Amino acid sequence: MVLPPLWCSLLAAFLTSASASSLVKHSLPDVPSGWAEIQDAELSPSRGLNLRFGLAQHGFTQLESLLLNISDPSHPSYGKHLSKEQVHALSTPSNDTLELVDGWLATHNASSVKWSSSKDSVTAVVPISSAEKMLSTRFGVFEHVTSRKRVVRTLSYSLPQDLAPHINFVHPTTAFLDPLRHGMGKFSLDGHVTTPSDIQKRPVPLNQSHFESCVSVIDPPCVRKLYNIGNYTPKVVDGRNRIGVAGYLDILAKPESLKLYLNDYIPESIGSNYTMEVVNITGPFTASSVGDEGNLDTQLAIQVAYPIPMTYYTTNSVPPYIPDQNQDGERPGVNEPYLDFIDYLLGLDEPPTVITTSYGDDEQTVPQDYANAVCQGFAKLGARGVSVLFSTGDQGLGTDELSACIANTGNNATTFLPVFPASCPYVTSVGMTLGFETQTPSFASGAGFSYYFDRPAYQDTAVSAYLAGPANPDETELQSSMYNHRGRAYPDITAVGSGAFFDYFFNRWDISGGTSAAVPTAASIVALLNDWRLRNGKPTMGFLNPFIYGVGLEALVDITDGFVNGCEQPGFNATKGWDPASGLGFFDFEKLQSLVL
Ligand SMILES: *[C@@H]1O[C@H](CO)[C@@H](O)[C@H](O)[C@H]1NC(C)=O
Ligand SMILES: *[C@@H]1O[C@H](CO)[C@@H](O)[C@H](O)[C@H]1NC(C)=O
Ligand SMILES: *[C@@H]1O[C@H](CO)[C@@H](O)[C@H](O)[C@H]1NC(C)=O
Ligand SMILES: *[C@@H]1O[C@H](CO)[C@@H](O)[C@H](O)[C@H]1NC(C)=O
Ligand SMILES: *[C@@H]1O[C@H](CO)[C@@H](O)[C@H](O)[C@H]1NC(C)=O
Ligand SMILES: *[C@@H]1O[C@H](CO)[C@@H](O)[C@H](O)[C@H]1NC(C)=O
Ligand SMILES: *[C@@H]1O[C@H](CO)[C@@H](O)[C@H](O)[C@H]1NC(C)=O
Ligand SMILES: *[C@@H]1O[C@H](CO)[C@@H](O)[C@H](O)[C@H]1NC(C)=O
């Protein structure tokens, strides 16, 4: 069947406001840039849509207050992380909400109804025709212009008046995430983006001694030197400490590749039976999903942390091509990069103690209600004692061209493009530096100020001082108008992101990098701090930011040279203290060791 074109948003707004019984929940002014509507696409009304309904919770204010207390080294509750049951109790919606939503789904032919572990959200497969009634909307087919991936979406949806207070979001209705976006770039040491012809084939294993100088390549001994780690060796390897690596976009990491890496760089691993665990949360679905991103992330996450246990979690999240007459509905996890992952981890009695993620989207492409729920999910993980680290992306303050730095809010305002989840105040955002001797931030290291999240108290002093300071005498009026001066600012810290060295599945090696390399490197060091605390009878670090902006500041090496830019603007200079180019700087492990006990 051929669908009529989507209502234009004005007409949709008129129709929905005309209907007294429903409230517009979210609406986009236009088809987002980078996407096009396919006017004559075939879309069967009985095709199943896999929808997630995020429910209203009442405990978050309390959870947030608890999180800040237990993450603040000067608070008597420092380190008293919450149990699974405690976090669930603060997340579960009211019985009214549960009953209403349950009934609503049942009367709309929803199938495969699955509640999250704390019942804060529910997923279901709903026939398009029912979903259109439930949400007073029309779904259409949209194509991502460059990748040509197609998704079923709408530009506006509404909720019945009696249900609206109980539902925070329905996903992925108006979510036009860029299916190609992730944090990985290819940077050589001098900051030039490398081309495929630079990728070197790996004929035989290379010996570590080739790289002792740390000039052309950053390998584990270089990371030890750079961050003052010495020869610290982890001792707690019984599962109380665990590195978690998130894999999205159907990308797999290979234990065989990890073995190659360990053999080359971690001599102690030779002859051991060390391997990483791979947990399939929702996909990947094809064996061809092996990607250099997954291998890079896992190999750099273990580089100074061997033999701490490590798990690679794979979540699908790739939008599907739409077969013409697919009656079977979508695969679970499709279009869901974050909440399946968070929900899985919150259901564990012993979640990993640090998580590294090298993915992100432009914040404005993530519907705000959904972004809130995801960000609150990371706060819950923090409350469980997990340090959640995200890369800031490799696009500087936005993209290269000013013409692409446009707000999607309808007024086409010129703006920098912050990246989510790096912009969530409950994660630690990691930017990248170039080189070993100089440690300057990269012009392309993702940085910025959130429009969705206000500046959290823990960074207010540091960020206000920067904005009031003398670092950017030549800031133009245009640049000043291109960011939210009161928003959550990132990155929090930086780590080396250039010339990282890793093995590839097919016995090749590759010099790669970007913030994708910086964030697992930082996670590897956080894993060591957790080892050190556990060895001394203390709980793990948990949510890091109140510590690093507070007493931990003393153990960070400030970066005062370099800058970050984007959107053809002068950008932001590094300076003393926090700045958008380098955050607070990078870890001095030895100093951290004395501070965290
Ligand atoms: C957090 O700590 C403050 C100050 O000690 C206290 O007033 C507040 O009740 C604590 N929050 C929770 C949820 O316990
Ligand atoms: C909600 O329902 C559960 C299970 O039916 C019950 O144990 C609980 O007391 C109810 N809570 C309230 C506030 O009514
Ligand atoms: C549910 O399915 C039945 C049988 O296919 C159909 O008659 C009915 O209209 C559907 N209800 C809704 C709300 O779509
Ligand atoms: C690396 O070292 C091993 C043993 O030390 C040696 O057998 C091998 O030939 C070396 N490989 C290269 C490429 O230099
Ligand atoms: C791996 O090695 C450890 C210590 O040598 C041993 O206790 C364990 O049983 C081994 N595991 C497997 C699966 O062989
Ligand atoms: C992950 O799980 C899905 C669903 O059970 C399955 O189809 C897929 O093959 C699994 N992927 C891997 C790599 O095992
Ligand atoms: C915003 O840009 C789009 C695409 O160029 C255009 O269609 C629309 O009219 C513009 N809106 C405003 C308010 O200028
Ligand atoms: C950053 O500092 C340099 C001098 O080191 C200066 O030329 C440049 O204008 C500064 N950037 C801004 C935005 O003011």
Side-chain angles (χ1 to χ4, degrees), residues 538-556:
K538 314 254 180 187
T540 55
M541 300 289 298
F543 177 45
L544 294 169
N545 295 4
F547 166 74
I548 59 182
Y549 283 88
V551 296
L553 205 48
E554 235 180 276
L556 283 154

Side-chain angles (χ1 to χ4, degrees), residues 340-362:
D340 283 331
F341 175 72
I342 291 169
D343 188 44
Y344 175 83
L345 295 180
L346 288 174
L348 298 177
D349 290 319
E350 283 198 322
T353 43
V354 58
I355 291 166
T356 171
T357 309
S358 295
Y359 300 81
D361 288 279
D362 287 346

Side-chain angles (χ1 to χ4, degrees), residues 135 155 161 163 177 252 274 306 314 362 375 409 425 508 514 557:
L135 307 176
L155 296 185
Q161 211 143 31
L163 277 141
L177 310 178
L252 204 54
Y274 183 90
Y306 176 85
T314 69
D362 287 346
C375 187
T409 44
R508 292 182 304 170
V557 182

Side-chain angles (χ1 to χ4, degrees), residues 97-121:
T97 298
L98 296 178
E99 273 167 32
L100 268 168
V101 172
D102 200 34
W104 190 48
L105 291 174
T107 56
H108 286 85
N109 293 345
S111 58
S112 308
V113 175
K114 190 167 168 274
W115 292 84
S116 69
S117 48
S118 65
K119 297 202 169 241
D120 60 354
S121 74

